[in-house]
Amino acid sequence: MIEWVSFRSGARPVPQPVATPFVWAGAFGGALVLVTLLNHVVGPYRPTLALTVLSLLAALLGLCARFTAAPGTALLCWLLLNGFGIPPEGTLTWAASRDAFWLSCLFGATLVGTVLARLVNARAAYRRLTGVPGPLPPRYTDGGR
């Protein structure tokens, strides 16, 4: 009988995060598509909606990313929000309180997604490594002797 085995050595109970450049490419492409779509569907004067949608994108990207990808992901989403999500389109502006809030929201969303993924993966790995105990064997009694 043939037994198929993986060439990798040892079990890897926790999945590896996606490489940072791929996450950043996803952030750039996803934010560009979402901001463009929102501008055409609801109009460019809805930065709160755009921030909410980009925060959800950042959280979803955080689910498969490393912690080191969080600042870049937030920055790319903010650049596209600032450059194309608010008027004047195509021009980067800096309003200290607004943009600091937007950056912190996007960064926080990315971190929440990453932490959530790490907790879920760690819990699943713990369950796989420890194993769930099976049912206890029935107690045999000898009639009170």
Side-chain angles (χ1 to χ4, degrees):
M1 183 170 270
I2 298 174
E3 181 181 342
W4 294 95
V5 293
S6 176
F7 285 117
R8 293 183 179 163
S9 61
R12 192 175 59 188
V14 178
Q16 292 293 323
V18 176
T20 301
F22 291 124
V23 174
W24 288 347
F28 181 78
L32 185 62
V33 167
L34 289 174
V35 168
T36 303
L37 185 69
L38 285 173
N39 280 345
H40 287 297
V41 173
V42 291
Y45 298 105
R46 306 287 297 271
T48 306
L49 179 64
L51 177 64
T52 304
V53 170
L54 289 178
S55 293
L56 289 173
L57 172 69
L60 287 175
L61 287 170
L63 290 174
C64 61
R66 302 176 196 276
F67 280 108
T68 56
T73 303
L75 185 65
L76 284 169
C77 289
W78 172 80
L79 281 172
L80 288 165
L81 173 64
N82 194 337
F84 300 104
I86 59 171
E89 290 184 6
T91 305
L92 288 177
T93 59
W94 178 261
S97 62
R98 179 197 69 193
D99 289 323
F101 176 72
W102 286 358
L103 276 169
S104 63
C105 284
L106 292 166
F107 184 66
T110 307
L111 285 180
V112 164
T114 306
V115 167
L116 182 65
R118 295 300 164 265
L119 288 174
V120 168
N121 289 337
R123 184 168 187 242
Y126 177 75
R127 286 183 169 228
R128 276 192 300 262
L129 292 176
T130 59
V132 178
L136 296 174
R139 290 189 162 198
Y140 292 102
T141 59
D142 56 352
R145 293 188 222 173

PDB file of all heavy atoms in Angstrom, residues 11-15 117-132:
ATOM      1  N   ALA A  11       4.473  18.818  11.814  1.00  0.00           N
ATOM      2  CA  ALA A  11       3.148  19.420  11.663  1.00  0.00           C
ATOM      3  C   ALA A  11       3.250  20.919  11.874  1.00  0.00           C
ATOM      4  O   ALA A  11       3.996  21.390  12.725  1.00  0.00           O
ATOM      5  CB  ALA A  11       2.181  18.813  12.668  1.00  0.00           C
ATOM      6  N   ARG A  12       2.512  21.643  11.105  1.00  0.00           N
ATOM      7  CA  ARG A  12       2.467  23.092  11.267  1.00  0.00           C
ATOM      8  C   ARG A  12       1.039  23.460  11.620  1.00  0.00           C
ATOM      9  O   ARG A  12       0.208  23.692  10.748  1.00  0.00           O
ATOM     10  CB  ARG A  12       2.915  23.775   9.985  1.00  0.00           C
ATOM     11  CG  ARG A  12       3.154  25.244  10.178  1.00  0.00           C
ATOM     12  CD  ARG A  12       3.697  25.884   8.963  1.00  0.00           C
ATOM     13  NE  ARG A  12       2.762  25.705   7.873  1.00  0.00           N
ATOM     14  CZ  ARG A  12       2.996  26.022   6.630  1.00  0.00           C
ATOM     15  NH1 ARG A  12       4.149  26.516   6.306  1.00  0.00           N
ATOM     16  NH2 ARG A  12       2.092  25.842   5.695  1.00  0.00           N
ATOM     17  N   PRO A  13       0.726  23.526  12.908  1.00  0.00           N
ATOM     18  CA  PRO A  13      -0.657  23.708  13.306  1.00  0.00           C
ATOM     19  C   PRO A  13      -1.215  25.103  13.050  1.00  0.00           C
ATOM     20  O   PRO A  13      -2.405  25.277  12.976  1.00  0.00           O
ATOM     21  CB  PRO A  13      -0.649  23.399  14.796  1.00  0.00           C
ATOM     22  CG  PRO A  13       0.739  23.675  15.230  1.00  0.00           C
ATOM     23  CD  PRO A  13       1.613  23.368  14.052  1.00  0.00           C
ATOM     24  N   VAL A  14      -0.373  26.105  12.931  1.00  0.00           N
ATOM     25  CA  VAL A  14      -0.849  27.462  12.726  1.00  0.00           C
ATOM     26  C   VAL A  14      -0.481  27.893  11.308  1.00  0.00           C
ATOM     27  O   VAL A  14       0.669  27.807  10.911  1.00  0.00           O
ATOM     28  CB  VAL A  14      -0.223  28.435  13.752  1.00  0.00           C
ATOM     29  CG1 VAL A  14      -0.664  29.858  13.517  1.00  0.00           C
ATOM     30  CG2 VAL A  14      -0.554  27.998  15.156  1.00  0.00           C
ATOM     31  N   PRO A  15      -1.453  28.355  10.524  1.00  0.00           N
ATOM     32  CA  PRO A  15      -1.135  28.772   9.153  1.00  0.00           C
ATOM     33  C   PRO A  15      -0.224  29.996   9.136  1.00  0.00           C
ATOM     34  O   PRO A  15      -0.299  30.860  10.009  1.00  0.00           O
ATOM     35  CB  PRO A  15      -2.490  29.081   8.538  1.00  0.00           C
ATOM     36  CG  PRO A  15      -3.416  29.249   9.664  1.00  0.00           C
ATOM     37  CD  PRO A  15      -2.862  28.495  10.825  1.00  0.00           C
ATOM     38  N   ALA A 117      -7.320  37.062  13.994  1.00  0.00           N
ATOM     39  CA  ALA A 117      -6.820  35.887  13.273  1.00  0.00           C
ATOM     40  C   ALA A 117      -5.834  35.098  14.128  1.00  0.00           C
ATOM     41  O   ALA A 117      -5.874  33.858  14.149  1.00  0.00           O
ATOM     42  CB  ALA A 117      -6.158  36.309  11.972  1.00  0.00           C
ATOM     43  N   ARG A 118      -4.966  35.790  14.849  1.00  0.00           N
ATOM     44  CA  ARG A 118      -3.988  35.084  15.694  1.00  0.00           C
ATOM     45  C   ARG A 118      -4.686  34.325  16.828  1.00  0.00           C
ATOM     46  O   ARG A 118      -4.315  33.215  17.159  1.00  0.00           O
ATOM     47  CB  ARG A 118      -2.964  36.054  16.277  1.00  0.00           C
ATOM     48  CG  ARG A 118      -2.083  36.716  15.280  1.00  0.00           C
ATOM     49  CD  ARG A 118      -1.248  35.719  14.479  1.00  0.00           C
ATOM     50  NE  ARG A 118      -0.704  36.348  13.312  1.00  0.00           N
ATOM     51  CZ  ARG A 118      -1.256  36.326  12.106  1.00  0.00           C
ATOM     52  NH1 ARG A 118      -2.375  35.701  11.907  1.00  0.00           N
ATOM     53  NH2 ARG A 118      -0.689  36.911  11.092  1.00  0.00           N
ATOM     54  N   LEU A 119      -5.703  34.928  17.417  1.00  0.00           N
ATOM     55  CA  LEU A 119      -6.423  34.245  18.495  1.00  0.00           C
ATOM     56  C   LEU A 119      -7.168  33.013  17.979  1.00  0.00           C
ATOM     57  O   LEU A 119      -7.127  31.947  18.609  1.00  0.00           O
ATOM     58  CB  LEU A 119      -7.407  35.207  19.164  1.00  0.00           C
ATOM     59  CG  LEU A 119      -6.794  36.297  20.029  1.00  0.00           C
ATOM     60  CD1 LEU A 119      -7.876  37.255  20.513  1.00  0.00           C
ATOM     61  CD2 LEU A 119      -6.045  35.701  21.193  1.00  0.00           C
ATOM     62  N   VAL A 120      -7.825  33.138  16.843  1.00  0.00           N
ATOM     63  CA  VAL A 120      -8.559  32.006  16.278  1.00  0.00           C
ATOM     64  C   VAL A 120      -7.588  30.891  15.893  1.00  0.00           C
ATOM     65  O   VAL A 120      -7.832  29.713  16.183  1.00  0.00           O
ATOM     66  CB  VAL A 120      -9.404  32.463  15.068  1.00  0.00           C
ATOM     67  CG1 VAL A 120      -9.936  31.276  14.284  1.00  0.00           C
ATOM     68  CG2 VAL A 120     -10.537  33.347  15.535  1.00  0.00           C
ATOM     69  N   ASN A 121      -6.470  31.248  15.264  1.00  0.00           N
ATOM     70  CA  ASN A 121      -5.490  30.237  14.872  1.00  0.00           C
ATOM     71  C   ASN A 121      -4.834  29.581  16.080  1.00  0.00           C
ATOM     72  O   ASN A 121      -4.595  28.371  16.078  1.00  0.00           O
ATOM     73  CB  ASN A 121      -4.420  30.849  13.971  1.00  0.00           C
ATOM     74  CG  ASN A 121      -4.949  31.198  12.612  1.00  0.00           C
ATOM     75  OD1 ASN A 121      -5.948  30.647  12.157  1.00  0.00           O
ATOM     76  ND2 ASN A 121      -4.305  32.133  11.946  1.00  0.00           N
ATOM     77  N   ALA A 122      -4.547  30.361  17.106  1.00  0.00           N
ATOM     78  CA  ALA A 122      -3.931  29.792  18.306  1.00  0.00           C
ATOM     79  C   ALA A 122      -4.895  28.852  19.021  1.00  0.00           C
ATOM     80  O   ALA A 122      -4.502  27.783  19.500  1.00  0.00           O
ATOM     81  CB  ALA A 122      -3.485  30.905  19.247  1.00  0.00           C
ATOM     82  N   ARG A 123      -6.149  29.224  19.069  1.00  0.00           N
ATOM     83  CA  ARG A 123      -7.141  28.351  19.710  1.00  0.00           C
ATOM     84  C   ARG A 123      -7.305  27.049  18.938  1.00  0.00           C
ATOM     85  O   ARG A 123      -7.373  25.971  19.514  1.00  0.00           O
ATOM     86  CB  ARG A 123      -8.478  29.077  19.820  1.00  0.00           C
ATOM     87  CG  ARG A 123      -9.509  28.276  20.564  1.00  0.00           C
ATOM     88  CD  ARG A 123     -10.714  29.131  20.903  1.00  0.00           C
ATOM     89  NE  ARG A 123     -11.598  28.387  21.761  1.00  0.00           N
ATOM     90  CZ  ARG A 123     -12.829  28.060  21.439  1.00  0.00           C
ATOM     91  NH1 ARG A 123     -13.333  28.443  20.289  1.00  0.00           N
ATOM     92  NH2 ARG A 123     -13.583  27.386  22.270  1.00  0.00           N
ATOM     93  N   ALA A 124      -7.352  27.143  17.614  1.00  0.00           N
ATOM     94  CA  ALA A 124      -7.478  25.940  16.796  1.00  0.00           C
ATOM     95  C   ALA A 124      -6.239  25.056  16.932  1.00  0.00           C
ATOM     96  O   ALA A 124      -6.354  23.825  17.019  1.00  0.00           O
ATOM     97  CB  ALA A 124      -7.704  26.318  15.335  1.00  0.00           C
ATOM     98  N   ALA A 125      -5.059  25.674  16.974  1.00  0.00           N
ATOM     99  CA  ALA A 125      -3.830  24.894  17.127  1.00  0.00           C
ATOM    100  C   ALA A 125      -3.786  24.227  18.498  1.00  0.00           C
ATOM    101  O   ALA A 125      -3.366  23.074  18.621  1.00  0.00           O
ATOM    102  CB  ALA A 125      -2.613  25.799  16.945  1.00  0.00           C
ATOM    103  N   TYR A 126      -4.223  24.932  19.517  1.00  0.00           N
ATOM    104  CA  TYR A 126      -4.237  24.350  20.850  1.00  0.00           C
ATOM    105  C   TYR A 126      -5.164  23.136  20.898  1.00  0.00           C
ATOM    106  O   TYR A 126      -4.828  22.106  21.462  1.00  0.00           O
ATOM    107  CB  TYR A 126      -4.685  25.395  21.874  1.00  0.00           C
ATOM    108  CG  TYR A 126      -4.790  24.859  23.267  1.00  0.00           C
ATOM    109  CD1 TYR A 126      -3.650  24.611  24.016  1.00  0.00           C
ATOM    110  CD2 TYR A 126      -6.027  24.571  23.831  1.00  0.00           C
ATOM    111  CE1 TYR A 126      -3.737  24.102  25.299  1.00  0.00           C
ATOM    112  CE2 TYR A 126      -6.132  24.072  25.114  1.00  0.00           C
ATOM    113  CZ  TYR A 126      -4.979  23.838  25.847  1.00  0.00           C
ATOM    114  OH  TYR A 126      -5.077  23.324  27.098  1.00  0.00           O
ATOM    115  N   ARG A 127      -6.311  23.248  20.265  1.00  0.00           N
ATOM    116  CA  ARG A 127      -7.247  22.125  20.253  1.00  0.00           C
ATOM    117  C   ARG A 127      -6.686  20.943  19.465  1.00  0.00           C
ATOM    118  O   ARG A 127      -6.904  19.806  19.817  1.00  0.00           O
ATOM    119  CB  ARG A 127      -8.585  22.543  19.667  1.00  0.00           C
ATOM    120  CG  ARG A 127      -9.370  23.395  20.616  1.00  0.00           C
ATOM    121  CD  ARG A 127     -10.722  23.738  20.038  1.00  0.00           C
ATOM    122  NE  ARG A 127     -11.524  24.319  21.079  1.00  0.00           N
ATOM    123  CZ  ARG A 127     -12.753  23.949  21.345  1.00  0.00           C
ATOM    124  NH1 ARG A 127     -13.328  23.023  20.638  1.00  0.00           N
ATOM    125  NH2 ARG A 127     -13.416  24.528  22.315  1.00  0.00           N
ATOM    126  N   ARG A 128      -5.973  21.234  18.367  1.00  0.00           N
ATOM    127  CA  ARG A 128      -5.388  20.140  17.593  1.00  0.00           C
ATOM    128  C   ARG A 128      -4.269  19.456  18.341  1.00  0.00           C
ATOM    129  O   ARG A 128      -4.104  18.246  18.265  1.00  0.00           O
ATOM    130  CB  ARG A 128      -4.860  20.663  16.258  1.00  0.00           C
ATOM    131  CG  ARG A 128      -5.913  20.766  15.199  1.00  0.00           C
ATOM    132  CD  ARG A 128      -5.273  20.998  13.848  1.00  0.00           C
ATOM    133  NE  ARG A 128      -4.495  22.226  13.799  1.00  0.00           N
ATOM    134  CZ  ARG A 128      -4.945  23.371  13.300  1.00  0.00           C
ATOM    135  NH1 ARG A 128      -6.153  23.434  12.806  1.00  0.00           N
ATOM    136  NH2 ARG A 128      -4.183  24.437  13.297  1.00  0.00           N
ATOM    137  N   LEU A 129      -3.459  20.231  19.057  1.00  0.00           N
ATOM    138  CA  LEU A 129      -2.310  19.649  19.738  1.00  0.00           C
ATOM    139  C   LEU A 129      -2.701  18.904  21.008  1.00  0.00           C
ATOM    140  O   LEU A 129      -2.107  17.887  21.337  1.00  0.00           O
ATOM    141  CB  LEU A 129      -1.282  20.733  20.073  1.00  0.00           C
ATOM    142  CG  LEU A 129      -0.589  21.349  18.863  1.00  0.00           C
ATOM    143  CD1 LEU A 129       0.328  22.472  19.309  1.00  0.00           C
ATOM    144  CD2 LEU A 129       0.187  20.306  18.091  1.00  0.00           C
ATOM    145  N   THR A 130      -3.664  19.425  21.741  1.00  0.00           N
ATOM    146  CA  THR A 130      -4.037  18.759  22.992  1.00  0.00           C
ATOM    147  C   THR A 130      -5.037  17.657  22.746  1.00  0.00           C
ATOM    148  O   THR A 130      -5.091  16.692  23.495  1.00  0.00           O
ATOM    149  CB  THR A 130      -4.641  19.763  23.992  1.00  0.00           C
ATOM    150  OG1 THR A 130      -5.787  20.370  23.423  1.00  0.00           O
ATOM    151  CG2 THR A 130      -3.617  20.792  24.399  1.00  0.00           C
ATOM    152  N   GLY A 131      -5.818  17.788  21.723  1.00  0.00           N
ATOM    153  CA  GLY A 131      -6.839  16.769  21.450  1.00  0.00           C
ATOM    154  C   GLY A 131      -8.004  16.910  22.402  1.00  0.00           C
ATOM    155  O   GLY A 131      -7.860  17.280  23.560  1.00  0.00           O
ATOM    156  N   VAL A 132      -9.148  16.622  21.908  1.00  0.00           N
ATOM    157  CA  VAL A 132     -10.346  16.659  22.737  1.00  0.00           C
ATOM    158  C   VAL A 132     -10.484  15.295  23.383  1.00  0.00           C
ATOM    159  O   VAL A 132     -10.448  14.274  22.704  1.00  0.00           O
ATOM    160  CB  VAL A 132     -11.589  16.993  21.890  1.00  0.00           C
ATOM    161  CG1 VAL A 132     -12.839  16.987  22.725  1.00  0.00           C
ATOM    162  CG2 VAL A 132     -11.398  18.336  21.226  1.00  0.00           C
TER     163      VAL A 132
END
